[in-house]
């Protein structure tokens, strides 16, 4: 199996935002604001300065990544082209299809990355070697 997804398939998606003097509210619903059904949500937090998370690709997992607090840079790469997206708002996030190499870096103090995933956790879905990733791409 090979993957043909490209950087152009990575999308910044704006979420609903209810502005309120009591504090703002945003949300997302599966198959409505994001193009997949949700099977798992996890979050990355307490990241020491200078650390990098991610640095792999997935065979089938699609995901949506939000900087729910603070900021970090999301670097996405399709094997040919790479792009850095700075995330620092809780009312939008980035949809990443399967077959995109991605990592998160430059975490601000107290930042939290929420990752909404189309699959349950499966170690076998990871591609952790960059050369394996390049072989997986068409
Ligand atoms: P991993 O996705 O490898 O994080 P990173 O790519 O940033 O290094 O996950 C780190 C560890 O957490 C790994 O040993 C597996 C475990 N893990 C789960 O058990 N369930 C999950 O949903 C996730 C995302 C990770």
């Amino acid at each position: 199996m090979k993957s043909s997804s490209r950087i152009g398939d990575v999308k910044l998606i704006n979420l609903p935002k209810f502005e309120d003097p009591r504090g703002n509210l945003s949300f997302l619903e599966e198959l409505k604001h994001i193009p997949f059904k949700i099977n798992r949500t996890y979050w990355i937090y307490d990241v020491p300065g200078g650390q990098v998370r991610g640095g792999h690709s997935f065979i089938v997992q699609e995901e949506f990544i939000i900087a729910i607090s603070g900021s970090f840079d999301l670097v996405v790469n399709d094997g040919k082209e790479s792009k850095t997206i700075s995330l620092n708002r809780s009312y939008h996030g980035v949809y990443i299809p399967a077959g995109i190499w991605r990592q998160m870096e430059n975490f601000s103090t107290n930042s939290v990355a929420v990752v909404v995933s189309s699959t349950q956790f499966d170690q076998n879905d990871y591609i952790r070697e960059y050369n394996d990733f390049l072989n997986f791409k068409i």
Side-chain angles (χ1 to χ4, degrees):
M1 194 176 79
K2 296 251 186 189
S3 164
S4 61
S5 54
R6 292 286 164 227
I7 286 295
D9 303 318
V10 173
K11 302 276 187 214
L12 184 73
I13 297 177
N14 279 315
L15 299 171
K17 181 183 183 192
F18 283 85
E19 292 194 37
D20 192 304
R22 299 170 300 159
N24 299 335
L25 182 152
S26 289
F27 63 94
L28 64 83
E29 293 176 6
E30 60 185 4
L31 301 177
K32 192 167 172 188
H33 304 104
I34 56 171
F36 58 82
K37 278 190 81 68
I38 298 168
N39 265 299
R40 176 170 49 116
T41 303
Y42 64 94
W43 42 98
I44 297 169
Y45 54 97
D46 290 348
V47 179
Q51 291 295 325
V52 174
R53 296 298 312 230
H56 49 68
S57 176
F58 295 105
I59 299 167
V60 300
Q61 181 193 301
E62 301 167 72
E63 59 190 358
F64 185 71
I65 301 182
I66 311 166
I68 211 80
S69 178
S71 64
F72 57 85
D73 292 337
L74 177 65
V75 185
V76 288
N77 175 355
D78 63 10
K80 291 200 167 113
E81 209 184 327
S82 165
K83 183 161 101 172
T84 299
I85 304 166
S86 294
L87 290 176
N88 58 7
R89 295 283 183 262
S90 44
Y91 56 77
H92 65 203
V94 177
Y95 166 72
I96 306 179
I100 298 288
W101 189 270
R102 57 41 156 206
Q103 70 181 39
M104 287 166 266
E105 58 191 38
N106 289 330
F107 286 88
S108 68
T109 304
N110 291 332
S111 57
V112 181
V114 168
V115 183
V116 180
S117 166
S118 66
T119 64
Q120 294 201 336
F121 179 70
D122 178 5
Q123 196 68 255
N124 295 322
D125 192 45
Y126 282 69
I127 304 174
R128 291 191 183 274
E129 294 296 329
Y130 191 68
N131 275 337
D132 294 343
F133 169 67
L134 292 178
N135 288 330
F136 178 59
K137 298 304 291 180
I138 292 171

PDB file of all heavy atoms in Angstrom, residues 40 42 44 52-56 58 102 104 121 123 126 128, ligand 1:
ATOM      1  N   ARG A  40     -10.445   8.627  19.045  1.00  0.00           N
ATOM      2  CA  ARG A  40      -9.509   8.843  20.155  1.00  0.00           C
ATOM      3  C   ARG A  40      -9.168  10.320  20.220  1.00  0.00           C
ATOM      4  O   ARG A  40      -9.117  10.996  19.187  1.00  0.00           O
ATOM      5  CB  ARG A  40      -8.241   8.018  19.912  1.00  0.00           C
ATOM      6  CG  ARG A  40      -7.129   8.205  20.915  1.00  0.00           C
ATOM      7  CD  ARG A  40      -6.052   7.135  20.684  1.00  0.00           C
ATOM      8  NE  ARG A  40      -5.704   7.085  19.267  1.00  0.00           N
ATOM      9  CZ  ARG A  40      -4.502   7.382  18.774  1.00  0.00           C
ATOM     10  NH1 ARG A  40      -3.518   7.695  19.569  1.00  0.00           N
ATOM     11  NH2 ARG A  40      -4.280   7.339  17.474  1.00  0.00           N
ATOM     12  N   TYR A  42      -6.133  12.688  22.333  1.00  0.00           N
ATOM     13  CA  TYR A  42      -5.050  12.745  23.320  1.00  0.00           C
ATOM     14  C   TYR A  42      -4.454  14.144  23.316  1.00  0.00           C
ATOM     15  O   TYR A  42      -4.771  14.963  22.430  1.00  0.00           O
ATOM     16  CB  TYR A  42      -3.986  11.669  23.057  1.00  0.00           C
ATOM     17  CG  TYR A  42      -3.222  11.774  21.768  1.00  0.00           C
ATOM     18  CD1 TYR A  42      -1.990  12.441  21.706  1.00  0.00           C
ATOM     19  CD2 TYR A  42      -3.693  11.187  20.605  1.00  0.00           C
ATOM     20  CE1 TYR A  42      -1.260  12.504  20.530  1.00  0.00           C
ATOM     21  CE2 TYR A  42      -2.970  11.249  19.424  1.00  0.00           C
ATOM     22  CZ  TYR A  42      -1.762  11.910  19.398  1.00  0.00           C
ATOM     23  OH  TYR A  42      -1.058  11.981  18.221  1.00  0.00           O
ATOM     24  N   ILE A  44      -0.888  16.682  24.450  1.00  0.00           N
ATOM     25  CA  ILE A  44       0.540  16.770  24.785  1.00  0.00           C
ATOM     26  C   ILE A  44       0.728  18.050  25.584  1.00  0.00           C
ATOM     27  O   ILE A  44       0.289  19.121  25.154  1.00  0.00           O
ATOM     28  CB  ILE A  44       1.388  16.774  23.497  1.00  0.00           C
ATOM     29  CG1 ILE A  44       1.191  15.442  22.746  1.00  0.00           C
ATOM     30  CG2 ILE A  44       2.859  17.014  23.811  1.00  0.00           C
ATOM     31  CD1 ILE A  44       1.763  15.433  21.346  1.00  0.00           C
ATOM     32  N   VAL A  52      10.841  18.320  20.907  1.00  0.00           N
ATOM     33  CA  VAL A  52      10.070  18.071  19.684  1.00  0.00           C
ATOM     34  C   VAL A  52       9.223  16.833  19.896  1.00  0.00           C
ATOM     35  O   VAL A  52       9.725  15.812  20.397  1.00  0.00           O
ATOM     36  CB  VAL A  52      11.025  17.861  18.480  1.00  0.00           C
ATOM     37  CG1 VAL A  52      10.254  17.455  17.236  1.00  0.00           C
ATOM     38  CG2 VAL A  52      11.836  19.126  18.217  1.00  0.00           C
ATOM     39  N   ARG A  53       7.945  16.899  19.556  1.00  0.00           N
ATOM     40  CA  ARG A  53       7.064  15.720  19.622  1.00  0.00           C
ATOM     41  C   ARG A  53       6.641  15.343  18.207  1.00  0.00           C
ATOM     42  O   ARG A  53       6.677  16.166  17.301  1.00  0.00           O
ATOM     43  CB  ARG A  53       5.799  16.011  20.456  1.00  0.00           C
ATOM     44  CG  ARG A  53       6.041  16.320  21.908  1.00  0.00           C
ATOM     45  CD  ARG A  53       6.682  15.191  22.695  1.00  0.00           C
ATOM     46  NE  ARG A  53       6.098  13.892  22.518  1.00  0.00           N
ATOM     47  CZ  ARG A  53       5.731  13.078  23.494  1.00  0.00           C
ATOM     48  NH1 ARG A  53       5.839  13.473  24.746  1.00  0.00           N
ATOM     49  NH2 ARG A  53       5.281  11.871  23.244  1.00  0.00           N
ATOM     50  N   GLY A  54       6.190  14.112  18.061  1.00  0.00           N
ATOM     51  CA  GLY A  54       5.807  13.633  16.734  1.00  0.00           C
ATOM     52  C   GLY A  54       7.037  13.118  16.023  1.00  0.00           C
ATOM     53  O   GLY A  54       7.824  12.372  16.600  1.00  0.00           O
ATOM     54  N   GLY A  55       7.222  13.532  14.784  1.00  0.00           N
ATOM     55  CA  GLY A  55       8.381  13.049  14.036  1.00  0.00           C
ATOM     56  C   GLY A  55       8.108  11.657  13.489  1.00  0.00           C
ATOM     57  O   GLY A  55       8.917  10.740  13.636  1.00  0.00           O
ATOM     58  N   HIS A  56       6.934  11.495  12.891  1.00  0.00           N
ATOM     59  CA  HIS A  56       6.543  10.233  12.268  1.00  0.00           C
ATOM     60  C   HIS A  56       5.344  10.477  11.364  1.00  0.00           C
ATOM     61  O   HIS A  56       4.820  11.595  11.295  1.00  0.00           O
ATOM     62  CB  HIS A  56       6.216   9.181  13.331  1.00  0.00           C
ATOM     63  CG  HIS A  56       5.299   9.652  14.406  1.00  0.00           C
ATOM     64  ND1 HIS A  56       3.983   9.959  14.171  1.00  0.00           N
ATOM     65  CD2 HIS A  56       5.518   9.924  15.717  1.00  0.00           C
ATOM     66  CE1 HIS A  56       3.427  10.354  15.292  1.00  0.00           C
ATOM     67  NE2 HIS A  56       4.340  10.370  16.251  1.00  0.00           N
ATOM     68  N   PHE A  58       1.608   8.318   9.721  1.00  0.00           N
ATOM     69  CA  PHE A  58       0.680   7.218   9.966  1.00  0.00           C
ATOM     70  C   PHE A  58       0.227   6.611   8.647  1.00  0.00           C
ATOM     71  O   PHE A  58       0.113   7.304   7.640  1.00  0.00           O
ATOM     72  CB  PHE A  58      -0.544   7.705  10.747  1.00  0.00           C
ATOM     73  CG  PHE A  58      -0.214   8.185  12.130  1.00  0.00           C
ATOM     74  CD1 PHE A  58      -0.193   9.538  12.413  1.00  0.00           C
ATOM     75  CD2 PHE A  58       0.096   7.284  13.136  1.00  0.00           C
ATOM     76  CE1 PHE A  58       0.118   9.993  13.688  1.00  0.00           C
ATOM     77  CE2 PHE A  58       0.412   7.726  14.407  1.00  0.00           C
ATOM     78  CZ  PHE A  58       0.419   9.085  14.690  1.00  0.00           C
ATOM     79  N   ARG A 102       4.839  14.378  10.203  1.00  0.00           N
ATOM     80  CA  ARG A 102       4.564  15.621  10.959  1.00  0.00           C
ATOM     81  C   ARG A 102       5.272  15.624  12.304  1.00  0.00           C
ATOM     82  O   ARG A 102       5.507  14.591  12.934  1.00  0.00           O
ATOM     83  CB  ARG A 102       3.078  15.882  11.079  1.00  0.00           C
ATOM     84  CG  ARG A 102       2.103  14.894  11.705  1.00  0.00           C
ATOM     85  CD  ARG A 102       2.494  14.199  12.896  1.00  0.00           C
ATOM     86  NE  ARG A 102       1.420  13.721  13.744  1.00  0.00           N
ATOM     87  CZ  ARG A 102       1.562  13.533  15.051  1.00  0.00           C
ATOM     88  NH1 ARG A 102       2.698  13.763  15.655  1.00  0.00           N
ATOM     89  NH2 ARG A 102       0.579  13.072  15.767  1.00  0.00           N
ATOM     90  N   MET A 104       5.815  18.394  15.980  1.00  0.00           N
ATOM     91  CA  MET A 104       5.438  19.624  16.683  1.00  0.00           C
ATOM     92  C   MET A 104       6.657  20.126  17.439  1.00  0.00           C
ATOM     93  O   MET A 104       7.348  19.334  18.096  1.00  0.00           O
ATOM     94  CB  MET A 104       4.292  19.329  17.653  1.00  0.00           C
ATOM     95  CG  MET A 104       2.970  19.099  16.950  1.00  0.00           C
ATOM     96  SD  MET A 104       1.733  18.371  18.046  1.00  0.00           S
ATOM     97  CE  MET A 104       1.944  16.654  17.699  1.00  0.00           C
ATOM     98  N   PHE A 121      -5.525   3.790  19.278  1.00  0.00           N
ATOM     99  CA  PHE A 121      -4.067   3.695  19.247  1.00  0.00           C
ATOM    100  C   PHE A 121      -3.613   2.354  18.665  1.00  0.00           C
ATOM    101  O   PHE A 121      -4.087   1.302  19.070  1.00  0.00           O
ATOM    102  CB  PHE A 121      -3.500   3.855  20.656  1.00  0.00           C
ATOM    103  CG  PHE A 121      -2.005   3.749  20.680  1.00  0.00           C
ATOM    104  CD1 PHE A 121      -1.227   4.742  20.123  1.00  0.00           C
ATOM    105  CD2 PHE A 121      -1.382   2.641  21.225  1.00  0.00           C
ATOM    106  CE1 PHE A 121       0.162   4.650  20.118  1.00  0.00           C
ATOM    107  CE2 PHE A 121      -0.001   2.543  21.228  1.00  0.00           C
ATOM    108  CZ  PHE A 121       0.766   3.544  20.678  1.00  0.00           C
ATOM    109  N   GLN A 123       0.167   0.899  17.475  1.00  0.00           N
ATOM    110  CA  GLN A 123       1.609   1.082  17.234  1.00  0.00           C
ATOM    111  C   GLN A 123       1.987   0.702  15.790  1.00  0.00           C
ATOM    112  O   GLN A 123       2.894   1.302  15.206  1.00  0.00           O
ATOM    113  CB  GLN A 123       2.362   0.197  18.238  1.00  0.00           C
ATOM    114  CG  GLN A 123       3.820   0.518  18.425  1.00  0.00           C
ATOM    115  CD  GLN A 123       4.069   1.847  19.097  1.00  0.00           C
ATOM    116  OE1 GLN A 123       4.465   2.819  18.446  1.00  0.00           O
ATOM    117  NE2 GLN A 123       3.847   1.925  20.405  1.00  0.00           N
ATOM    118  N   TYR A 126       2.171   3.336  12.864  1.00  0.00           N
ATOM    119  CA  TYR A 126       3.226   4.359  12.816  1.00  0.00           C
ATOM    120  C   TYR A 126       4.280   4.024  11.756  1.00  0.00           C
ATOM    121  O   TYR A 126       4.681   2.870  11.627  1.00  0.00           O
ATOM    122  CB  TYR A 126       3.969   4.437  14.154  1.00  0.00           C
ATOM    123  CG  TYR A 126       3.272   5.178  15.263  1.00  0.00           C
ATOM    124  CD1 TYR A 126       2.122   4.673  15.848  1.00  0.00           C
ATOM    125  CD2 TYR A 126       3.787   6.374  15.747  1.00  0.00           C
ATOM    126  CE1 TYR A 126       1.493   5.342  16.890  1.00  0.00           C
ATOM    127  CE2 TYR A 126       3.162   7.055  16.796  1.00  0.00           C
ATOM    128  CZ  TYR A 126       2.023   6.536  17.364  1.00  0.00           C
ATOM    129  OH  TYR A 126       1.418   7.188  18.395  1.00  0.00           O
ATOM    130  N   ARG A 128       7.967   5.312  11.582  1.00  0.00           N
ATOM    131  CA  ARG A 128       8.881   6.124  12.403  1.00  0.00           C
ATOM    132  C   ARG A 128      10.220   6.402  11.725  1.00  0.00           C
ATOM    133  O   ARG A 128      10.977   7.254  12.190  1.00  0.00           O
ATOM    134  CB  ARG A 128       9.120   5.442  13.751  1.00  0.00           C
ATOM    135  CG  ARG A 128       7.881   5.436  14.646  1.00  0.00           C
ATOM    136  CD  ARG A 128       8.220   5.004  16.048  1.00  0.00           C
ATOM    137  NE  ARG A 128       7.046   4.916  16.905  1.00  0.00           N
ATOM    138  CZ  ARG A 128       6.518   5.927  17.578  1.00  0.00           C
ATOM    139  NH1 ARG A 128       7.069   7.124  17.497  1.00  0.00           N
ATOM    140  NH2 ARG A 128       5.454   5.741  18.333  1.00  0.00           N
TER     141      ARG A 128
HETATM  142  P1  LIG B   1       4.061   8.822  20.393  1.00  0.00           P
HETATM  143  O1  LIG B   1       2.875   8.955  19.481  1.00  0.00           O
HETATM  144  O2  LIG B   1       5.173   7.925  19.935  1.00  0.00           O
HETATM  145  O3  LIG B   1       4.604  10.270  20.728  1.00  0.00           O
HETATM  146  P2  LIG B   1       5.746  11.095  19.967  1.00  0.00           P
HETATM  147  O4  LIG B   1       5.638  10.743  18.536  1.00  0.00           O
HETATM  148  O5  LIG B   1       5.456  12.524  20.239  1.00  0.00           O
HETATM  149  O6  LIG B   1       7.029  10.644  20.564  1.00  0.00           O
HETATM  150  O7  LIG B   1       3.520   8.331  21.807  1.00  0.00           O
HETATM  151  C1  LIG B   1       4.381   8.246  22.930  1.00  0.00           C
HETATM  152  C2  LIG B   1       4.008   7.029  23.741  1.00  0.00           C
HETATM  153  O8  LIG B   1       2.668   7.107  24.194  1.00  0.00           O
HETATM  154  C3  LIG B   1       4.124   5.734  22.970  1.00  0.00           C
HETATM  155  O9  LIG B   1       4.930   4.846  23.718  1.00  0.00           O
HETATM  156  C4  LIG B   1       2.751   5.176  22.866  1.00  0.00           C
HETATM  157  C5  LIG B   1       1.942   5.937  23.876  1.00  0.00           C
HETATM  158  N1  LIG B   1       0.608   6.305  23.353  1.00  0.00           N
HETATM  159  C6  LIG B   1      -0.491   5.556  23.699  1.00  0.00           C
HETATM  160  O10 LIG B   1      -0.391   4.559  24.433  1.00  0.00           O
HETATM  161  N2  LIG B   1      -1.724   5.943  23.239  1.00  0.00           N
HETATM  162  C7  LIG B   1      -1.884   7.016  22.430  1.00  0.00           C
HETATM  163  O11 LIG B   1      -3.017   7.345  22.033  1.00  0.00           O
HETATM  164  C8  LIG B   1      -0.720   7.772  22.039  1.00  0.00           C
HETATM  165  C9  LIG B   1      -0.838   8.947  21.131  1.00  0.00           C
HETATM  166  C10 LIG B   1       0.502   7.374  22.533  1.00  0.00           C
END
